[in-house]
Amino acid sequence: MGQGVLTATRDQAAAAGAPGAGRCEDIELEQLARAVGTPAYVYSATHIRDQYRRLAAALAGAEHRIHYSVKANSSLAVLALLRDLGAGVDIVSGGELERALRAGYTGLDVVFSGVGKTEQELADALDAGVLLFNVESEAELRQLDRIARATERVAPVALRVNPEVTVDTPHPYTRTGERGMKFGIPYDEALDVAGRAVQMSGIALRGVDMHIGSQVTALDPYEEGMRRLLELVAALRDFGCRDLEYLDVGGGLAVTYENEEPTNPAAFAATVVPQAAASGLTLIVEPGRYLVGNAGVLLTRVLYRKRSGGREYVITDAGMNDLLRPSHYQAYHHISAAHPRGATATYDVVGPVCESGDFLALNRTMDAVSEGDLLVVHSAGAYGFVMASNYNSRPRPPEVLVEGDRYSIVRERETFADLVRHERVAPDWRRL
Ligand code: LLP
């Protein structure tokens, strides 16, 4: 159980020529690529389910809720798959609320995070009856209070506090819980803001929340952050706040890209469960990457090989518009040949986009490849398709869900018509 279908595949792929290197569950990736074309995202349903079940089992010692962070992979099919397992969702926009509702979640399955929720988004989430608004500033709190009172409702709120802990993630852009960042209410202001929240008739203060960063392999920042959240809970209770229900510790659990140890759910649970259980609050976790990261690969074909200034280039049909992470965060994604030829070589693997920053890997020693070979870009299930764009007027790739020996195209490849759907050639001028 739990052994990632594609993580195992990746390890095997590292040993060039090993059988099974080019499979997702029981599907041969070369055959799948012929059927759906490239580039294409492929997700293993079994891996996602295994990850969810491992985490849920590990957290069993505390009253808890797993709210999948939709931003990691917002495919409706993935959302529905997780809903069937009992997950809730963590959303950050009206669009994600719409997706969650379409995938069958109800308002009570939703926590709404995000530093810049608009008036419309807050109103829509109130209409949907979300479980919790994770509020990130006093200004947002006032806005929510006003909207709630205007419609004679009371908004359930958790204050997202910046626990101001030191967090180590592969890139500074994925740290959120350090002092001075845009996220959350500064720790030393949280009690005052809570004091004001309890005075607001449109607000019901139900909990506290943090999210310290993403791809956090260490557990001590969680421990330290929990300690700070619980200090705040104690202070709030002293203050007479008796209605707290939720302790939301955010997401951030790590997966394997290169050779990192993924977060061990049991070790994570040992860090958060005892304290959560002792607090009498319901623990909320918001994992995104942990559930889907290692479940997905991006399939891409080698278009051309070329040599320039002593560098060996592999030019693929997937580019930074399809998978932004290498370019944007200098992120490592393991790349293997679906059918390794037995040799290795060192390449820059680059896409067709007209930017020097368009690469999947630089100076990478990997399976030697030829034109026409299929490449498997691993650990692409999280923050892959969702960060894809149409830059260079490139249609976004399809998303394919695999389960055992069957597959489903859960999102079609975009067409050229899709690219221009919302545009007009001739301006229809108007005057205000
Ligand atoms: N909760 C909140 C409030 C968040 O902001 C995030 C992620 C999560 C949960 C889920 O974090 P996860 O468990 O997936 O680490 N695009 C970047 C990652 C950005 C994460 C943003 N927030 C990347 O590709 O690495």
Side-chain angles (χ1 to χ4, degrees):
M1 75 142 203
Q3 179 52 277
V5 181
L6 290 156
T7 313
T9 304
R10 201 204 69 147
D11 291 344
Q12 289 161 6
R23 303 180 81 82
C24 174
E25 302 204 16
D26 299 331
I27 296 244
E28 186 83 52
L29 290 175
E30 180 66 59
Q31 279 181 19
L32 184 61
R34 290 209 184 110
V36 304
T38 55
Y41 277 96
V42 182
Y43 311 130
S44 159
T46 306
H47 183 77
I48 299 173
R49 291 196 185 101
D50 283 350
Q51 290 292 91
Y52 182 89
R53 289 186 181 126
R54 285 176 70 203
L55 185 60
L59 296 175
E63 192 72 45
H64 72 272
R65 306 175 60 99
I66 299 176
H67 285 255
Y68 168 60
S69 193
V70 172
K71 66 173 82 65
N73 181 324
S74 55
S75 153
L76 292 174
V78 168
L79 293 178
L81 185 157
L82 285 164
R83 183 209 55 208
D84 288 347
L85 297 174
V89 283
D90 161 51
I91 62 161
V92 289
S93 69
E96 288 188 351
L97 176 61
E98 176 73 19
R99 283 183 173 276
L101 297 176
R102 283 187 190 233
Y105 293 89
T106 67
L108 284 176
D109 299 320
V110 176
V111 301
F112 192 2
S113 303
V115 71
K117 307 174 190 83
T118 64
E119 188 172 349
Q120 186 69 51
E121 286 175 327
L122 290 169
D124 290 347
L126 265 175
D127 285 346
V130 302
L131 181 78
L132 214 49
F133 290 87
N134 286 342
V135 167
E136 299 218 16
S137 64
E138 187 173 341
E140 182 192 339
L141 191 67
R142 292 194 185 287
Q143 167 90 308
L144 181 57
D145 175 49
R146 192 182 59 69
I147 298 168
R149 280 188 289 110
T151 47
E152 285 167 17
R153 281 179 293 193
V154 179
V157 161
L159 291 185
R160 174 166 175 187
V161 175
N162 182 348
E164 298 174 3
V165 293
T166 306
V167 196
D168 190 22
T169 65
H171 195 276
Y173 290 178
T174 51
R175 288 168 213 158
T176 49
E178 293 187 339
R179 191 174 156 75
M181 300 200 123
K182 77 169 176 177
F183 298 102
I185 297 166
Y187 188 73
D188 56 4
E189 291 172 26
L191 200 54
D192 281 351
V193 175
R196 288 194 272 283
V198 294
Q199 308 295 327
M200 297 179 183
S201 60
I203 299 291
L205 187 57
R206 289 278 177 264
V208 291
D209 165 47
M210 68 175 185
H211 171 71
I212 55 174
S214 198
Q215 183 66 8
V216 183
T217 41
L219 291 172
D220 31 310
Y222 286 99
E223 196 167 341
E224 179 64 12
M226 278 287 269
R227 203 178 55 67
R228 304 205 96 189
L229 280 191
L230 288 168
E231 264 172 29
L232 184 62
V233 167
L236 286 170
R237 283 174 167 161
D238 283 351
F239 192 74
C241 207
R242 297 269 154 249
D243 300 330
L244 297 179
E245 283 178 66
Y246 301 110
L247 182 68
D248 184 340
V249 299
L253 286 71
V255 301
T256 303
Y257 286 94
E258 191 168 4
N259 40 35
E260 315 88 313
E261 276 295 313
T263 304
N264 176 331
F268 175 76
T271 308
V272 296
V273 161
Q275 300 190 67
S279 73
L281 301 174
T282 297
L283 175 70
I284 296 180
V285 287
E286 303 170 352
R289 190 189 316 263
Y290 167 83
L291 293 174
V292 295
N294 285 144
V297 293
L298 173 65
L299 299 181
T300 180
R301 233 175 246 292
V302 177
L303 295 175
Y304 304 109
R305 293 282 324 279
K306 91 180 204 185
R307 203 171 283 145
S308 176
R311 305 186 79 88
E312 291 281 347
Y313 284 99
V314 169
I315 302 169
T316 58
D317 65 3
M320 65 189 286
N321 73 296
D322 302 299
L323 179 64
L324 184 62
R325 302 192 73 258
S327 174
H328 192 56
Y329 308 111
Q330 282 73 55
Y332 180 99
H333 284 262
H334 185 76
I335 302 178
S336 59
H339 292 292
R341 295 164 182 274
T344 58
T346 301
Y347 301 124
D348 284 0
V349 183
V350 301
V353 172
C354 300
E355 296 262 353
S356 300
D358 175 28
F359 58 84
L360 298 176
L362 296 179
N363 201 24
R364 175 73 57 85
T365 301
M366 54 178 274
D367 295 328
V369 292
S370 299
E371 289 176 11
D373 283 3
L374 182 68
L375 297 185
V376 184
V377 183
H378 296 259
S379 309
Y383 307 107
F385 181 85
V386 285
M387 293 179 78
S389 76
N390 294 123
Y391 186 39
N392 279 203
S393 287
R394 290 167 51 81
R396 286 179 296 173
E399 294 179 283
V400 181
L401 191 65
V402 169
E403 184 182 69
D405 62 357
R406 34 185 212 167
Y407 74 93
S408 168
I409 300 172
V410 293
R411 190 182 206 276
E412 303 274 344
R413 184 183 306 283
E414 286 177 343
T415 63
F416 293 143
D418 291 330
L419 295 182
V420 294
R421 177 146 297 140
H422 302 291
E423 297 183 42
R424 43 176 61 92
V425 176
D428 64 337
W429 305 113
R430 302 169 201 202
R431 288 206 167 82
L432 290 170

